[in-house]
């Protein structure tokens, strides 16, 4: 059913993208016409700053902007619109949580992450740990690249104040089973934060069902524009932590000596927000809704199973991450003996297959596997099995070139 979805993305009908197998979706996805048109229309017909003007144009812009917040709320099933904070991206959302929350911790308190975290969910915590004398622990992964949940009790203890976990690894493709870990952390009154930068583009995420304190994702990885991210925060949690950025919009009262803060969500939205980007994100989430999760999930499950079956057959190619399709998505990082990932990516580019090479912002994870870099092919709704075949063909050509 998604076979024609490529037609919904203008880049694939224009020059540069016409014959391109775009397999770098974990880095950023392409944009469908509906998102581009909605943003264009907003700038052409409805643009004004939000939450300020009393004239019609500004009121309409505010209505459109707040309607997008409601779309985001529904998309992740948050309880209230005020629990949706607009940020710049996942990095910004996680920095907000780490920097605001860690101020309230005491020396010796602990933060539990996993070994498969993206730098965005690692460096902010690590830096706050250094600033406030906290300890960061990393829940290990197995050699197959799945969370080693059996070790949880060795890493979670009475000083663990926050558990921050990815809902889908951007390298391994692993989708950890979060529910039991969340339940145990919440039972011990620890805060739970989820990095959903990859997850939200691949399967439905329900923040109320998960019962978490906060969740972060970016618009650009889910068919929306760059410059817009989301922080979901459960109301009690967001009210309990201090603002992250200070200045205009986020205040209630200001004197020369002191200030008080706006209620949620504006307490965390200082300054003029990325208005058109918020509206573009709303259009992207509506686009996903129209396609429907069952269709998307089935398409991606097919790509995952097919990708694994053909890549595992390529001689001297090693997939870093689970070799079986359960609890894993269509992200494949791999190495090929005798070929540097950058060389592989360059040769693939010459046959119009776009992949990523490098550490994919997960250096500690690569070190764990004894690597400095890998090649990554990541798939989404507009990709096809034929494109996986082109990837494999390109890898074989490269192997011949370097043999
Ligand atoms: C799992 C994960 N977390 C966080 C990020 C950071 O996203 P952004 O660069 O949009 O802040 C990424 C981006 O690759 C990611 O894959």
């Amino acid at each position: 059913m998604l076979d024609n979805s490529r037609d919904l993305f203008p880049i694939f009908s224009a020059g540069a993208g016409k014959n391109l197998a775009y397999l770098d979706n974990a880095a950023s996805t392409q944009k469908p016409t509906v998102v581009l048109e909605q943003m264009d229309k907003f700038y052409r017909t409805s643009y004004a700053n939000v939450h300020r003007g009393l004239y019609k144009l500004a009121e309409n812009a505010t209505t459109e902007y707040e309607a997008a917040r409601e779309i985001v709320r529904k998309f992740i099933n948050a309880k209230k619109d005020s629990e949706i904070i607009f940020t710049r991206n996942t990095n910004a959302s996680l920095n907000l949580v780490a920097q605001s929350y860690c101020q309230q911790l005491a020396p010796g308190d602990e933060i539990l992450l996993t070994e498969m975290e993206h730098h965005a969910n690692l460096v902010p915590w690590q830096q706050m740990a250094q600033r406030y004398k906290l300890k960061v622990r990393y829940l290990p992964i197995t050699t197959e690249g799945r969370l080693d949940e059996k070790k949880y009790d060795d890493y979670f203890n009475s000083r663990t104040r926050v558990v921050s976990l990815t809902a889908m690894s951007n390298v391994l493709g692993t989708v950890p089973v979060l529910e039991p870990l969340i339940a145990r952390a919440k039972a011990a009154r620890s805060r739970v934060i989820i990095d959903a930068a990859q997850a939200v583009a691949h399967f439905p995420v329900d923040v109320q069902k998960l019962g978490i304190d906060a969740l972060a994702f970016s618009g650009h990885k889910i068919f929306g524009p760059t410059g817009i991210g989301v922080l979901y925060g459960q109301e009690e949690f967001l009210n309990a932590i201090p603002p992250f950025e200070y200045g205009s919009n986020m205040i209630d009262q200001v004197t020369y000596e002191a200030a008080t803060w706006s209620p949620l969500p504006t307490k965390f939205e200082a300054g003029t927000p990325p208005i058109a980007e918020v509206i573009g994100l709303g259009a992207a989430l509506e686009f996903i809704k129209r396609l429907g999760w069952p269709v998307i999930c089935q398409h991606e499950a097919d790509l995952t199973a097919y990708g694994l079956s053909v890549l595992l057959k390529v001689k001297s190619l090693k997939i870093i991450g689970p070799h079986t399709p359960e609890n894993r998505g269509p992200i494949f990082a791999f190495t090929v003996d005798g070929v540097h990932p950058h060389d592989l990516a360059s040769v693939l580019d010459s046959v119009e297959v776009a992949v990523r090479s490098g550490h994919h912002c997960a250096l500690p994870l690569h070190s764990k596997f004894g690597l400095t870099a890998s090649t990554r092919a990541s798939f989404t709704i507009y990709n096809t099995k034929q494109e996986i075949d082109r990837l494999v063909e390109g890898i074989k050509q490269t192997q011949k070139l370097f043999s």
Side-chain angles (χ1 to χ4, degrees):
M1 262 185 88
L2 288 176
D3 284 353
N4 297 326
S5 61
R6 197 174 161 93
D7 300 343
L8 306 173
F9 293 77
I11 196 156
F12 297 129
S13 52
K18 203 159 183 3
N19 299 313
L20 185 66
Y22 181 76
L23 310 183
D24 196 18
N25 297 286
S28 207
T29 55
Q30 297 298 340
K31 316 304 171 200
T33 305
V34 281
V35 168
L36 303 174
E37 282 181 348
Q38 185 105 358
M39 291 176 75
D40 186 64
K41 182 168 161 236
F42 175 68
Y43 273 128
R44 285 176 193 278
T45 65
S46 323
Y47 180 76
N49 208 334
V50 292
H51 298 145
R52 286 168 173 80
L54 289 178
Y55 48 93
K56 264 257 150 348
L57 193 65
E59 280 173 4
N60 290 344
T62 303
T63 304
E64 224 177 304
Y65 176 81
E66 289 302 328
R69 198 189 301 276
E70 167 66 6
I71 292 171
V72 177
R73 182 197 72 72
K74 281 198 184 128
F75 187 73
I76 56 170
N77 193 33
K79 201 166 181 181
K80 298 182 175 179
D81 280 3
S82 56
E83 295 177 323
I84 305 299
I85 312 294
F86 290 125
T87 66
R88 208 172 61 250
N89 51 32
T90 306
N91 267 271
S93 298
L94 291 169
N95 265 286
L96 188 164
V97 174
Q99 298 204 33
S100 292
Y101 180 58
C102 289
Q103 290 175 42
Q104 301 179 324
L105 300 183
D109 281 348
E110 297 195 3
I111 297 159
L112 180 59
L113 309 177
T114 79
E115 286 181 339
M116 66 169 88
E117 297 310 319
H118 186 279
H119 296 164
N121 194 32
L122 192 161
V123 183
W125 298 110
Q126 179 193 68
Q127 294 305 303
M128 290 309 101
Q130 287 175 15
R131 187 181 294 174
Y132 297 111
K133 299 190 170 49
L134 313 169
K135 186 175 168 75
V136 183
R137 290 176 182 265
Y138 297 94
L139 187 59
I141 55 171
T142 63
T143 48
E144 210 211 350
R146 297 193 188 271
L147 266 194
D148 198 348
E149 285 141 26
K150 290 192 301 298
K151 299 235 172 86
Y152 189 74
D153 287 335
D154 300 339
Y155 289 81
F156 187 93
N157 61 44
S158 61
R159 293 303 301 266
T160 310
R161 296 286 173 267
V162 56
V163 180
S164 193
L165 308 160
T166 185
M168 181 176 186
S169 164
N170 67 308
V171 176
L172 309 166
T174 309
V175 178
V177 183
L178 295 175
E179 288 79 359
L181 301 183
I182 295 170
R184 291 164 75 181
K186 292 310 293 176
R189 304 172 71 86
S190 174
R191 299 290 188 184
V192 180
I193 318 298
I194 300 295
D195 173 356
Q198 295 297 335
V200 288
H202 297 285
F203 50 87
V205 172
D206 182 327
V207 293
Q208 288 193 74
K209 220 184 237 170
L210 286 172
I212 51 182
D213 294 281
L215 174 139
F217 69 94
S218 300
H220 71 95
K221 290 185 196 286
I222 186 166
F223 314 117
T226 52
I228 176 66
V230 171
L231 172 67
Y232 156 78
Q234 199 273 330
E235 186 176 44
E236 174 274 326
F237 177 61
L238 290 181
N239 278 328
I241 60 175
F244 176 50
E245 289 180 323
Y246 297 93
S248 57
N249 205 39
M250 51 75 68
I251 53 83
D252 178 24
Q253 294 297 319
V254 185
T255 65
Y256 283 122
E257 290 75 33
T260 56
W261 320 132
S262 283
L264 299 173
T266 24
K267 171 182 166 187
F268 291 104
E269 291 182 356
T272 298
I275 308 167
E277 287 76 6
V278 164
I279 286 162
L281 172 63
L285 302 187
E286 292 285 83
F287 169 76
I288 290 178
K289 196 171 132 198
R290 280 193 301 277
L291 292 177
W293 278 121
V295 175
I296 294 172
C297 292
Q298 187 55 57
H299 180 75
E300 294 200 356
D302 290 348
L303 291 179
T304 304
Y306 186 69
L308 281 173
S309 74
V310 295
L311 286 169
L312 287 169
K313 285 192 199 119
V314 179
K315 214 171 109 239
S316 308
L317 183 150
K318 292 188 194 77
I319 293 180
I320 314 155
H323 290 189
T324 51
E326 62 277 0
N327 295 327
R328 113 183 292 295
I331 297 177
F332 305 106
F334 55 86
T335 58
V336 177
D337 289 350
V339 187
H340 192 279
H342 293 342
D343 292 329
L344 180 53
S346 297
V347 179
L348 286 171
D349 185 44
S350 71
V351 292
E352 298 201 79
V353 175
V355 295
R356 171 99 174 253
S357 67
H359 52 65
H360 322 307
C361 302
L363 266 171
L365 178 63
H366 274 76
S367 303
K368 168 130 186 129
F369 284 98
L371 301 169
T372 51
S374 63
T375 307
R376 181 183 70 186
S378 49
F379 297 82
T380 186
I381 54 169
Y382 40 68
N383 295 123
T384 60
K385 289 182 184 170
Q386 288 77 8
E387 287 178 325
I388 298 179
D389 292 339
R390 281 173 62 190
L391 168 70
V392 168
E393 200 43 49
I395 296 169
K396 288 182 179 165
Q397 274 181 32
T398 317
Q399 284 176 317
K400 271 194 207 133
L401 218 59
F402 282 79
S403 64

